[in-house]
Amino acid sequence: MRINPEFKRNIWLEISKLRLIIGPVILGLILWLSYLNASSSYETIGYWGYRSSIWSKPDRVSYIAEEVGKTALWLFGLITIFWGTILASGSVSSEVQDETWDNQKMSYLGAWEMVWGKLFGRTIYSWYLGAVCMLIYGWSSLLIADRQLAFLKRGAIFILIALLAQAVGFMLSLLGILREQHAKQRESVMYALIALFAGMPFLQQTFENRLPIKWYGMDIHVFRFLFVVLLVFLGWALLGCYRQMREELHAESSPWGALAFGVFCMFFFPGFLQGISGAPVFVNNFSNNIALINSAVPGVSIWLLHDRLRLALAISFGMTYLSILLSSKDLVGFRKLFKLLSADQIKEVLVNLPVWIYSLALNGLMVVLTAVDFSLRVRPQITDISDQRVFYLAFLFLLLLFVIRDIGIFLFFNLKKKSRNPDVLALLTFLTMYLLFPAIFSILEWKDGLALFHPSLRLEPWITIPLILMQVGLVYYFVLRRWEQFESNIALPQAENES
């Protein structure tokens, strides 16, 4: 049986006799202290207020087993989710810093062998210690009266969370390397930890809730739902790792995987909503917060739109911004794309197109579907419905125009050679346009000017849309000028060499 060489190499680096002994010994001491603390606290607890029963004192063995099990479970989370994610995120960036990554990329190993060899090899010691914690947790769960199954289910959820956290951290690390930000890998780790730990309290609270979860009108048991959802997102995370590794190894990598994940999110998250809103619900607040529909002309019934479709539209826009932010925006890659297009190699062009272009096309499709949905779901008691349709459809078109403009701003800053942190400059520009200028105009009580900086129908559509079209044209004029400057910088040395 052939063992993955990368996995085997990481095992030799991470595992030693001393580490195999010292780790369980330290864990054993911590759990022993937890046992002593639970034994002493059992004698002092009263009959009132214990969650298992108001009037009866809990069984001694069950109480101590539960306290020790909790300690083992949180040690597992600390070791595998927190420390394991840091190890997974640094598995490739450490190779880059040690200048050994280029040699590894030239090896015969494929992308998938590299992914699981590094992901699970680099974190093997954290999983070794995590297995010790999980064995103690499983043993203590069997000693808890009438609650064994619930505790074992919680342990399974924690294992899936750890796998997902490490896969996401590994993927973000690869994204950082592809964007040539070797010195900032700690930022990728921070983003992964913030995202995953922000969701852990929700998962824990939901898991303890005995009520079923409603998803697309179906009542689903909490454990089954979380188990399946975590497995699905783990699969997406591993697919993302594989795709990013293929790009790093300069193998052909199509954008369909990332686009499919965006479509999946547009289908998954709206399932928690209640369908068609007659009154404001969660998505109404969501829409208000992100200023998608809150500035529509007074009198337009903004809640006629299907909740799920509205959230899917918001997710599609968010995926476009996320994809343009995380993409490499390599100038040489753009030049290669234009050469393929001029050579009429359409198949190669479709494979090499950035994900954000497909995401933008999906935005256009969602705007059309949203417009059709609004036209079909208008309330019969509303008068002058034709005018309101015009206003609302104009508002949807404005949303798309603002996304196109913002993509141009990203490209403008990234097309400058040797520019430091171009994406940060773009984000600061958005901060100025979407927050600073509107705040100044609000203080000056010139609210009609807000239409220049974020989607709004305070002015008539025939005024607002041409103004935003002018902004789009101006942004892409400067993008074109910067691209021509880049092309001239390449053509000049070539002409000198030919002469």
Side-chain angles (χ1 to χ4, degrees):
M1 181 180 177
R2 177 177 173 270
I3 301 177
N4 186 329
E6 184 61 28
F7 181 72
K8 186 176 180 181
R9 184 182 74 89
N10 278 287
I11 290 178
W12 281 107
L13 291 174
E14 297 295 325
I15 300 297
S16 66
K17 291 181 180 179
L18 180 62
R19 299 188 82 188
L20 288 175
I21 296 173
I22 196 68
V25 169
I26 295 175
L27 292 177
L29 291 174
I30 296 173
L31 293 170
W32 182 58
L33 288 175
S34 175
Y35 168 80
L36 294 178
N37 181 65
S39 299
S40 61
S41 63
Y42 177 79
E43 305 300 333
T44 60
I45 63 173
Y47 291 85
W48 178 267
Y50 189 73
R51 61 181 171 274
S52 61
S53 174
I54 292 180
W55 296 104
S56 63
K57 194 172 183 178
D59 175 70
R60 176 185 176 86
V61 175
S62 297
Y63 176 79
I64 295 176
E66 182 174 351
E67 295 302 313
V68 174
K70 286 180 180 178
T71 304
L73 185 63
W74 288 109
L75 281 173
F76 174 85
L78 182 66
I79 292 170
T80 58
I81 299 177
F82 184 79
W83 186 41
T85 302
I86 294 175
L87 291 175
S89 300
S91 60
V92 178
S93 59
S94 60
E95 301 281 357
V96 174
Q97 293 172 359
D98 295 338
E99 299 182 353
T100 59
W101 178 233
D102 289 335
N103 293 331
Q104 289 192 42
K105 288 196 296 184
M106 291 187 290
S107 66
Y108 66 92
L109 294 179
W112 177 240
E113 290 178 305
M114 278 285 194
V115 167
W116 79 264
K118 287 189 174 296
L119 178 58
F120 298 107
R122 187 74 169 86
T123 60
I124 187 66
Y125 188 64
S126 68
W127 282 110
Y128 168 69
L129 298 180
V132 174
C133 295
M134 195 53 66
L135 284 174
I136 300 299
Y137 178 78
W139 173 72
S140 64
S141 300
L142 297 176
L143 299 177
I144 300 174
D146 302 327
R147 298 177 65 192
Q148 295 93 339
L149 187 58
F151 268 64
L152 291 175
K153 287 178 178 179
R154 190 178 302 174
I157 294 297
F158 264 73
I159 292 174
L160 289 177
I161 291 174
L163 289 169
L164 179 61
Q166 294 179 12
V168 171
F170 184 79
M171 181 180 64
L172 290 175
S173 176
L174 287 174
L175 274 171
I177 292 171
L178 284 169
R179 297 176 75 242
E180 299 182 351
Q181 293 183 353
H182 304 160
K184 297 184 179 181
Q185 294 310 303
R186 59 183 179 274
E187 293 184 5
S188 296
V189 180
M190 180 184 67
Y191 295 149
L193 293 177
I194 290 175
L196 292 163
F197 273 98
M200 280 192 62
F202 170 77
L203 289 176
Q204 182 72 6
Q205 183 179 3
T206 307
F207 188 64
E208 291 181 349
N209 188 2
R210 297 178 182 273
L211 296 176
I213 291 178
K214 271 193 173 296
W215 189 69
Y216 281 104
M218 299 180 291
D219 292 333
I220 307 175
H221 189 271
V222 175
F223 169 72
R224 291 178 192 151
F225 184 82
L226 290 179
F227 189 81
V228 172
V229 166
L230 286 171
L231 275 179
V232 170
F233 276 97
L234 176 60
W236 282 116
L238 291 175
L239 178 62
C241 293
Y242 174 73
R243 182 180 179 274
Q244 297 305 131
M245 184 61 76
R246 283 185 63 88
E247 287 192 25
E248 181 64 20
L249 298 179
H250 302 290
E252 185 178 285
S253 179
S254 67
W256 307 120
L259 187 64
F261 176 71
V263 174
F264 168 77
C265 290
M266 291 165 57
F267 166 76
F268 174 76
F269 290 106
F272 297 101
L273 305 182
Q274 299 301 319
I276 304 172
S277 60
V281 289
F282 167 76
V283 175
N284 300 359
N285 297 328
F286 175 80
S287 299
N288 282 332
N289 291 333
I290 62 174
L292 273 178
I293 309 175
N294 65 333
S295 54
V297 64
V300 173
S301 182
I302 61 178
W303 308 122
L304 297 181
L305 189 60
H306 198 286
D307 283 347
R308 291 169 183 161
L309 188 57
R310 183 164 69 250
L311 181 55
L313 176 65
I315 291 173
S316 71
F317 285 137
M319 294 298 292
T320 302
Y321 281 100
L322 188 63
S323 60
I324 185 67
L325 178 64
L326 296 179
S327 63
S328 62
K329 297 178 284 292
D330 182 26
L331 298 180
V332 178
F334 286 139
R335 198 162 187 264
K336 175 187 174 183
L337 192 62
F338 284 121
K339 283 187 176 181
L340 292 173
L341 188 61
S342 61
D344 293 331
Q345 298 182 16
I346 305 300
K347 183 179 178 181
E348 294 294 326
V349 170
L350 293 176
V351 171
N352 288 278
L353 275 177
V355 177
W356 55 266
I357 293 182
Y358 289 101
S359 184
L360 183 61
L362 185 62
N363 293 160
L365 176 62
M366 290 302 300
V367 165
V368 172
L369 292 177
T370 306
V372 172
D373 182 85
F374 175 77
S375 300
L376 296 177
R377 295 182 184 277
V378 291
R379 291 176 181 173
Q381 67 267 26
I382 293 179
T383 58
D384 299 329
I385 198 65
S386 59
D387 293 335
Q388 295 193 27
R389 282 181 180 175
V390 170
F391 272 100
Y392 196 86
L393 296 181
F395 180 78
L396 292 176
F397 184 58
L398 279 176
L399 289 176
L400 189 60
L401 286 179
F402 271 91
V403 173
I404 295 173
R405 184 203 65 179
D406 293 346
I407 288 176
I409 293 174
F410 269 114
L411 294 176
F412 173 76
F413 286 110
N414 278 272
L415 285 177
K416 184 178 180 181
K417 199 173 182 181
K418 298 180 181 180
S419 177
R420 296 186 61 184
N421 300 322
D423 290 332
V424 174
L425 293 175
L427 293 176
L428 289 176
T429 304
F430 297 149
L431 184 67
T432 303
M433 291 192 303
Y434 285 107
L435 293 178
L436 184 59
F437 285 157
I440 294 173
F441 284 8
S442 296
I443 293 173
L444 297 176
E445 297 184 354
W446 186 39
K447 294 186 178 180
D448 289 344
L450 297 177
L452 296 172
F453 301 102
H454 64 78
S456 174
L457 288 178
R458 294 184 180 275
L459 301 176
E460 295 288 336
W462 62 271
I463 297 176
T464 307
I465 290 179
L467 287 174
I468 305 306
L469 283 172
M470 289 175 60
Q471 288 188 31
V472 173
L474 187 64
V475 167
Y476 280 92
Y477 168 76
F478 286 110
V479 169
L480 182 60
R481 289 290 302 272
R482 187 155 281 186
W483 176 257
E484 291 174 348
Q485 184 180 1
F486 169 70
E487 286 285 347
S488 62
N489 291 337
I490 294 178
L492 185 60
Q494 292 178 350
E496 292 177 353
N497 292 333
E498 290 176 359
S499 60

